[in-house]
């Protein structure tokens, strides 16, 4: 009897051990699948995001998230435009038609809810350009995005009322008039700097500063976004840099030495992230004032200072002359689309001085 019981106990223990072993195997099998199912995304992230860590600072500049559902043409690295250069020697993109996919870019930036400020100056008779500028901006400039246009003028009553789409607005900023166009042009940098400091900081992401005597004819959108954005001047892009109309007097802070220079950029359109444009505007204004103290005015006012600045502080995105053409110039074949262009104007008619 006691032997039998002993045998029974021994068998029971063996069964219990076997069951425990089976349970152990089963447990580890189930747990592994469970863990992968729950945390698998974190261990092997599919889209770079983590379900457990909440990165509150998502910077659209460093982190481009595309929609999983958008279908678009396959990109190629061996086929593309060969008639133009699409990257600078410091590896900033040069934006030309046919080098980017607008739908893909918009799908990346739209969920980021970015906002874009635009400044435009209409002092004295230049208010007559406002209507076309504002109406065409509604049709082509960052359509579908949050846009805030700031019009600086000494004639607020002459600002044309334009019907703006939802999410877009216009603010008129009164400024004093002037009897020298050079001064109007030069003061822009100071006013842009002040606007960023007093109104835009923490409210807007990007800013573009544009000439009013121009119209939009084609898309100007998310492809133009960058930290520091410059537009190549349509008048000099095939020229040797010795022909660029830089400030050539040593005494000026805008001086550029012979044999130096990348591209000649427009004073009539530039932009980028708020902090970058603030730095540019502050530097150009300070240098302009230092020159003025010495009785010097750079050859092309703030355009000269901007070109000096961009020579040292390289733009991170460069826009082709599609982004600021001139109506009097016939379109060159490499310019497949004119997006923004300066209208023909009679200087003697509209400027306060000649
Ligand atoms: N501007 C202005 N009133 C003037 C002169 C200039 O409002 O009397 C502003 C306006 O925004 C203009 C910019 O300064 O677009 C640059 O001047 P302008 O267009 O005459 O220079 P250009 O493009 O002919 O070199
Ligand atoms: Mn102009």
């Amino acid at each position: 009897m006691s032997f039998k019981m002993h045998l029974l106990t021994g068998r029971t223990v063996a069964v219990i051990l076997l069951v425990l072993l089976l349970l152990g195997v089963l447990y580890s099998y189930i747990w592994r699948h469970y863990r992968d199912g729950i945390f698998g995304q974190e261990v092997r992230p599919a889209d770079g995001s983590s379900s457990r860590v909440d990165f509150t600072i998502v910077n659209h500049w460093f982190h481009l998230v595309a929609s999983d559902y958008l279908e678009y043409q396959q990109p190629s690295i061996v086929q593309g435009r060969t008639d133009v250069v699409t990257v600078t020697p410091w590896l900033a993109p040069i934006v030309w038609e046919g080098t980017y996919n607008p739908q893909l870019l918009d799908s990346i930036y739209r969920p980021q809810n970015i906002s874009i400020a635009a400044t435009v100056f209409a002092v004295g008779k230049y208010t007559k350009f406002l209507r076309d500028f504002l109406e065409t901006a509604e049709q082509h400039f960052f359509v579908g995005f949050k846009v805030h246009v700031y019009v600086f003028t000494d004639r607020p009553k002459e600002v044309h009322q334009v019907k703006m789409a939802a999410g877009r607005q216009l603010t008129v900023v009164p400024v004093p008039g002037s009897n020298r166009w050079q001064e109007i042009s030069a003061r822009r940098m100071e006013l842009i700097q002040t606007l960023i400091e007093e109104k835009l900081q923490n409210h807007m992401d990007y800013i573009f500063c544009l000439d009013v005597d121009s119209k939009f004819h084609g898309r100007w959108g998310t492809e133009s976004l960058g930290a520091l954005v410059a537009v190549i001047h349509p008048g000099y892009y095939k020229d040797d840099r010795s022909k660029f109309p830089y400030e050539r007097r040593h005494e000026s802070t805008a001086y550029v030495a012979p044999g130096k220079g990348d591209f000649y950029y427009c004073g009539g359109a530039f932009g980028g992230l708020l902090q970058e444009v603030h730095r540019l505007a502050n530097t150009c204004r300070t240098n302009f004032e230092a020159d003025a103290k010495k009785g010097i005015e750079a050859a092309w006012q703030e355009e000269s200072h901007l070109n000096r600045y961009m020579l040292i502080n390289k733009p991170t995105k460069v826009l082709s002359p599609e982004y600021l053409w001139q109506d009097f110039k016939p379109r060159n074949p490499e310019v497949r689309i004119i997006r923004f262009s300066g209208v023909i104007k009679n200087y003697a008619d509209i400027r306060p001085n000649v």
Side-chain angles (χ1 to χ4, degrees):
M1 179 73 181
S2 75
F3 173 75
K4 234 181 180 178
M5 262 182 71
H6 200 78
L7 201 71
L8 196 74
T9 317
R11 206 182 287 159
T12 311
V13 169
V15 168
I16 288 170
L17 280 174
L18 196 70
V19 168
L20 280 176
L21 190 72
L22 279 170
L23 277 174
V25 170
L26 202 65
Y27 174 80
S28 72
Y29 179 81
I30 291 171
W31 167 242
R32 212 175 55 217
H33 280 258
Y34 175 75
R35 190 192 55 194
D36 281 4
I38 296 293
F39 304 130
Q41 211 185 353
E42 192 190 39
V43 178
R44 293 186 298 272
D47 60 357
S49 66
S50 163
S51 57
R52 285 175 97 206
V53 186
D54 181 21
F55 288 104
T56 45
I57 303 164
V58 178
N59 192 326
H60 43 81
W61 182 240
F62 297 111
H63 196 134
L64 306 177
V65 180
S67 159
D68 206 1
Y69 303 103
L70 187 77
E71 289 187 5
Y72 56 91
Q73 202 190 346
Q74 180 189 351
S76 170
I77 60 161
V78 285
Q79 272 169 354
R81 288 196 64 164
T82 51
D83 57 337
V84 288
V85 174
T86 60
V87 67
T88 68
W90 58 95
L91 297 180
I94 306 175
V95 183
W96 292 93
E97 175 71 359
T99 61
Y100 64 91
N101 182 326
Q103 287 78 35
L104 173 59
L105 276 164
D106 285 355
S107 82
I108 290 170
Y109 285 99
R110 193 160 285 128
Q112 307 278 5
N113 206 18
I114 55 161
S115 52
I116 299 108
T119 62
V120 65
F121 289 74
V123 177
K125 291 183 184 168
Y126 277 61
T127 48
K128 75 172 197 159
F129 299 114
L130 269 175
R131 183 188 182 142
D132 282 351
F133 175 92
L134 295 170
E135 281 181 351
T136 59
E138 271 300 290
Q139 292 158 20
H140 302 292
F141 186 71
F142 284 96
V143 175
F145 286 83
K146 258 198 247 166
V147 171
H148 196 147
V149 181
Y150 289 86
V151 175
F152 293 79
T153 184
D154 57 336
R155 301 179 182 186
K157 284 192 196 123
E158 290 178 21
V159 178
H160 185 74
Q161 294 298 311
V162 179
K163 202 173 158 347
M164 296 178 97
R168 300 168 75 93
Q169 57 176 319
L170 187 147
T171 298
V172 177
V173 185
V175 293
S178 171
N179 48 22
R180 281 189 74 240
W181 65 265
Q182 294 90 338
E183 192 192 303
I184 298 165
S185 178
R187 237 183 18 220
R188 287 196 286 183
M189 288 297 186
E190 183 190 344
L191 291 163
I192 290 164
Q193 183 192 346
T194 313
L195 178 78
I196 295 174
E197 287 167 6
E198 294 180 358
K199 297 257 166 55
L200 306 187
Q201 237 173 350
N202 306 320
H203 297 291
M204 290 277 155
D205 300 308
Y206 295 93
I207 180 170
F208 284 94
C209 310
L210 305 166
D211 260 19
V212 72
D213 60 327
S214 358
K215 277 196 240 181
F216 291 90
H217 303 277
R219 175 195 160 100
W220 180 322
T222 47
E223 73 283 359
S224 68
L225 295 176
L228 183 62
V229 184
V231 182
I232 294 180
H233 197 292
Y236 306 93
Y237 70 97
K238 292 184 182 176
D239 289 343
D240 188 87
R241 55 188 169 192
S242 62
K243 297 220 181 76
F244 292 171
Y246 289 138
E247 173 53 58
R248 300 294 189 183
R249 289 167 295 177
H250 273 107
E251 309 83 75
S252 171
T253 53
Y255 170 73
V256 176
K260 292 244 173 104
D262 303 307
F263 311 107
Y264 189 74
Y265 302 113
C266 291
F270 58 91
L273 285 172
L274 283 192
Q275 58 263 45
E276 287 296 322
V277 176
H278 180 262
R279 196 171 160 159
L280 159 88
N282 187 14
T283 308
C284 290
R285 182 190 61 86
T286 310
N287 289 344
F288 190 89
E289 285 167 7
D291 277 15
K293 275 200 190 123
K294 290 197 269 177
I296 296 177
E297 188 170 82
W300 289 99
Q301 295 80 38
E302 91 282 24
E303 184 173 86
S304 304
H305 288 280
L306 176 128
N307 270 282
R308 166 71 208 174
Y309 183 88
M310 298 270 192
L311 174 63
I312 307 301
N313 306 271
K314 303 291 194 209
T316 61
K317 189 164 276 182
V318 174
L319 306 181
S320 71
E322 295 168 0
Y323 288 80
L324 188 40
W325 198 249
Q326 287 167 326
D327 282 356
F328 67 79
K329 275 174 76 73
R331 187 175 61 81
N332 290 340
E334 65 276 10
V335 176
R336 292 187 186 166
I337 171 177
I338 293 171
R339 303 168 188 283
F340 188 56
S341 182
V343 301
I344 295 168
K345 60 187 190 287
N346 182 346
Y347 286 101
D349 263 4
I350 52 156
R351 281 184 172 174
N353 60 313
V354 281

